[in-house]
Amino acid sequence: MSSTVARPPAGPRTLRPRSDASVAARMARSAAETTGARLRTEDFPQWLEGRRAAHRFQVDRIPFGELAGWSFEAATGNLVHRSGRFFTVEGLHVTADTGPFREWYQPIIKQPEVGILGILAKEFDGVLHFLMQAKMEPGNRNLLQLSPTVQATRSNYTKVHRGADVKYIEYFTRPDRGRVLADVLQSEHGSWFFRKSNRNMIVEAVGEVPLHDDFCWLTLGQIGELLHLDNVVNMDSRTVLACAPFPDGDHGALHADTDLLSWFTAERSRHDVRAERVPLDRLPGWKRSEWTIDHEEDRYFRVVAVAVQAGSREVTGWTQPLFEPLGLGVTAFLTRRIGGVPHVLVHARVEGGFLDTVELGPTVQYTPDNYAHVAAEDRPPFLDLVLDADPSRIRYEAVHSEEGGRFLNAESRYLLVEADEGQAPLDPPPGYRWVTPGQLTSLVRHGHYLNVQARTLLACLNATGVRI
C-alpha cells in the first residue's frame, strides 16, 4: 500500500531557506572578494565624486531663532518640533557609582522612534553584493558618505515631512520582498541619545532590483577596502555590517561563552546608574546664547542650529539642531593573541543614555581633550597607551564620522592596537575582559550587548581582513 502527498500549486519563485552556516560562509566569501561585479573598487572614487557633483549640498550655521518649525518650550526650555515628531533636545541628570565623574548634567536627544537601517543584498556571479547609497548628512564634514540602502526614521518613511518616498523601503517593511539575513535592535550613541534604538537589517532581495541614481552594488570586501579610508563609510553602514552573520566559531577563547555572559550580567548588576530627564533650561554648568548651548568650561559638546540644502534627499531643504562635539575622539580595541587565538579587550561601559545601563564598548572610547584637566590617577585606563602607541603596533587606523544626521563634525580615530602582557595583562582591571571577535559576532546578533563604537570596530575586523 502506498500513499502520495499532494503538492501545492506552483507559485511565484521563492528563495529556499539556507542554514545560518551557509549564510555565514557566503558573507565570508563576499568579504574575501575585493573585485565587484557591478562597480570596480578603483572606479568607486570617481563614482562618488560624480554623485557629489550631481546635487547641490549646502549647510550653514544659523541662530536658534531662524529654525523653521522648532522652538524652545516656555515651561521647560526643551527644543521641540511643532509636529511633535522627529526628536527633542532635553536635559539629563546622571549619577553613577564609578569613574572620575560621578554626577553630571547635559543636553540629550530624545528620539523614541525606532528607525530602519537596512542594507539590501543580492548575489552576482555567485558572490553577495550589497546595495549602498551615496547619502548626504548635514553633520558629516565632507557631507556625502556611503550609507545603507535605507537609513530612515519612522517619521521619514511615513512621510511626516511630506517629502518623496524612501527608495527601497518596501524590502524592509514587506516580508515577501526578500529573505532576512540579519534583523536586530541596536542602540545608538548612549552619550548623546536617550535610550535610542534602530532596527539593523540585512535583506537578500527576491528577483530583480532596480538600480536608482546614488546607489551602487559592492561586495563586502570592497566595502572593507573603503573602511581603510577616512570618512567614506558612514556610521549607519558600519553598525549594520557589524550585524552580518559571519562565522563565529572561535575555538580557544580565553573565557567560555557562558563565563563571558555571566561576567557581563554581573557588570550590569553591579553598577548603580540613574539617568533622569530634566528641563533643558535647568542644567547647571550649561548656558544658552543666540547661536549655541555650551558647557561653561567649553568642553564636551555644544548644541547648534543649521540650515540645509540637499538636492538628493526626500526633502531638499530644512533646518534642525545638531550636537557638535569639541575635539577628535579616540576609539580603540587593544588586541592580543592568546594561545595563538586573536582576542580584543572590551570594556563594560556605562553611558547615561543606555537602555540597560551597560554595554560592551572598545577598550578606549574617549575624547582626550575632555580629560586634559583630570589628575593622572583619574585618567581612563589604557588611554595613554593608545595615544602613545608605536606605529608598528597599530593594526588598523582610520577616522570615521559618527551619526551625521544628528551630530556636526563628530569624528573619531578608530584603531586596533597590539599590546603585550606588560601593557594589557590577561587579568585586566575590573570592567574589562578579553574576548574573541567570534564571540562578539555571536553577541551582536542580540540587541544592546555591543555599543555603536564597538560595532564599528567589529565591522572593520570582519570586513577588512585585518589580522590581529
Side-chain angles (χ1 to χ4, degrees), residues 414-427:
Y414 281 86
L415 303 109
L416 298 169
V417 179
E418 184 182 354
D420 58 31
E421 175 66 20
Q423 297 166 320
L426 293 186
D427 186 16

Side-chain angles (χ1 to χ4, degrees), residues 435-455:
V435 304
T436 67
Q439 287 177 310
L440 295 184
T441 297
S442 179
L443 288 175
V444 82
R445 294 174 186 170
H446 309 279
H448 304 288
Y449 276 89
L450 271 66
N451 76 358
V452 68
Q453 290 87 351
R455 296 198 301 273

Side-chain angles (χ1 to χ4, degrees), residues 114 182-188 196-200 239 242-243 261 264 268 354-360 440-452 455:
V114 175
D183 190 354
V184 59
L185 285 177
Q186 298 287 8
S187 63
E188 290 253 6
K196 174 75 172 74
S197 298
N198 277 323
R199 192 176 176 189
N200 287 233
T239 180
C243 300
L261 288 171
F264 182 56
R268 277 187 168 168
F354 281 156
L355 179 64
D356 291 318
T357 305
V358 168
E359 294 190 14
L360 295 180
L440 295 184
T441 297
S442 179
L443 288 175
V444 82
R445 294 174 186 170
H446 309 279
H448 304 288
Y449 276 89
L450 271 66
N451 76 358
V452 68
R455 296 198 301 273

Side-chain angles (χ1 to χ4, degrees), residues 4-222:
T4 60
V5 178
R7 296 180 179 272
R13 188 176 74 88
T14 60
L15 293 171
R16 290 177 296 174
R18 296 176 187 258
S19 68
D20 288 344
S22 173
V23 173
R26 296 169 72 213
M27 287 288 176
R29 180 177 179 185
S30 183
E33 181 57 68
T34 57
T35 302
R38 291 297 182 267
L39 178 67
R40 298 187 308 170
T41 310
E42 55 265 35
D43 294 334
F44 175 82
Q46 181 179 355
W47 177 85
L48 186 63
E49 284 307 309
R51 302 325 306 157
R52 195 186 309 277
H55 305 287
R56 179 175 179 265
F57 301 127
Q58 185 170 336
V59 178
D60 296 307
R61 294 173 187 258
I62 59 174
F64 291 125
E66 293 183 14
L67 284 169
W70 295 84
S71 62
F72 291 99
E73 283 185 329
T76 65
N78 292 347
L79 188 51
V80 301
H81 192 265
R82 66 187 172 200
S83 68
R85 303 291 293 274
F86 300 111
F87 63 95
T88 61
V89 180
E90 305 180 2
L92 192 71
H93 176 208
V94 183
T95 57
D97 58 350
T98 58
F101 308 113
R102 302 295 178 94
E103 181 181 20
W104 69 90
Y105 292 83
Q106 66 167 91
I108 196 81
I109 297 171
K110 178 71 165 59
Q111 186 174 344
E113 298 179 344
V114 175
I116 291 178
L117 306 178
I119 295 180
L120 198 60
K122 186 173 175 58
E123 203 169 88
F124 297 104
D125 298 339
V127 178
L128 277 177
H129 286 61
F130 300 88
L131 188 60
M132 309 300 292
Q133 178 184 181
K135 187 178 182 70
M136 182 272 193
E137 292 289 351
N140 291 338
R141 194 178 296 278
N142 57 353
L143 295 182
L144 197 70
Q145 296 187 13
L146 204 59
S147 85
T149 318
V150 166
Q151 178 184 318
T153 65
R154 183 179 294 273
S155 292
N156 289 147
Y157 66 80
T158 58
K159 300 175 67 174
V160 170
H161 51 38
R162 299 177 183 173
D165 292 331
V166 175
K167 292 182 175 64
Y168 304 106
I169 186 64
E170 66 274 11
Y171 288 92
F172 303 94
T173 57
R174 287 176 48 187
D176 62 323
R177 296 304 299 267
R179 177 198 302 123
V180 174
L181 304 183
D183 190 354
V184 59
L185 285 177
Q186 298 287 8
S187 63
E188 290 253 6
H189 294 75
S191 294
W192 296 325
F193 280 107
F194 185 74
R195 299 179 180 176
K196 174 75 172 74
S197 298
N198 277 323
R199 192 176 176 189
N200 287 233
M201 303 179 69
I202 301 175
V203 174
E204 186 174 4
V206 175
E208 294 301 314
V209 178
L211 185 63
H212 296 291
D213 291 342
D214 299 319
F215 293 82
C216 67
W217 291 103
L218 298 171
T219 69
L220 196 51
Q222 289 180 290

Side-chain angles (χ1 to χ4, degrees), residues 180-372:
V180 174
L181 304 183
D183 190 354
V184 59
L185 285 177
Q186 298 287 8
S187 63
E188 290 253 6
H189 294 75
S191 294
W192 296 325
F193 280 107
F194 185 74
R195 299 179 180 176
K196 174 75 172 74
S197 298
N198 277 323
R199 192 176 176 189
N200 287 233
M201 303 179 69
I202 301 175
V203 174
E204 186 174 4
V206 175
E208 294 301 314
V209 178
L211 185 63
H212 296 291
D213 291 342
D214 299 319
F215 293 82
C216 67
W217 291 103
L218 298 171
T219 69
L220 196 51
Q222 289 180 290
I223 299 170
E225 294 284 306
L226 300 177
L227 280 167
H228 285 282
L229 305 178
D230 293 348
N231 289 326
V232 172
V233 181
N234 82 353
M235 186 219 78
D236 297 295
S237 295
R238 301 190 307 264
T239 180
V240 176
L241 293 171
C243 300
F246 270 84
D248 60 2
D250 281 345
H251 300 288
L254 181 62
H255 302 285
D257 292 351
T258 302
D259 292 339
L260 175 60
L261 288 171
S262 178
W263 168 80
F264 182 56
T265 302
E267 286 294 316
R268 277 187 168 168
S269 301
R270 78 178 178 90
H271 287 286
D272 183 12
V273 180
R274 299 184 183 184
E276 177 187 7
R277 290 158 57 203
V278 297
L280 183 62
D281 63 3
R282 297 170 212 165
L283 291 180
W286 293 81
K287 59 185 187 296
R288 188 176 105 198
S289 70
E290 181 184 0
W291 289 78
T292 62
I293 300 173
D294 298 274
H295 192 269
E296 61 187 10
E297 296 178 352
D298 292 325
R299 291 196 182 99
Y300 311 119
F301 63 93
R302 62 171 65 102
V303 184
V304 300
V306 296
V308 184
Q309 295 294 322
S312 62
R313 294 288 297 260
E314 294 84 13
V315 174
T316 57
W318 71 92
T319 64
Q320 69 169 94
L322 289 172
F323 279 27
E324 183 179 25
L326 302 180
L328 177 69
V330 174
T331 303
F333 271 140
L334 292 184
T335 74
R336 287 187 61 182
R337 294 186 74 86
I338 302 171
V341 177
H343 284 69
V344 298
L345 187 62
V346 296
H347 179 205
R349 183 176 172 85
V350 173
E351 295 184 18
F354 281 156
L355 179 64
D356 291 318
T357 305
V358 168
E359 294 190 14
L360 295 180
T363 321
V364 166
Q365 181 192 315
Y366 303 103
T367 301
D369 291 351
N370 292 339
Y371 292 85

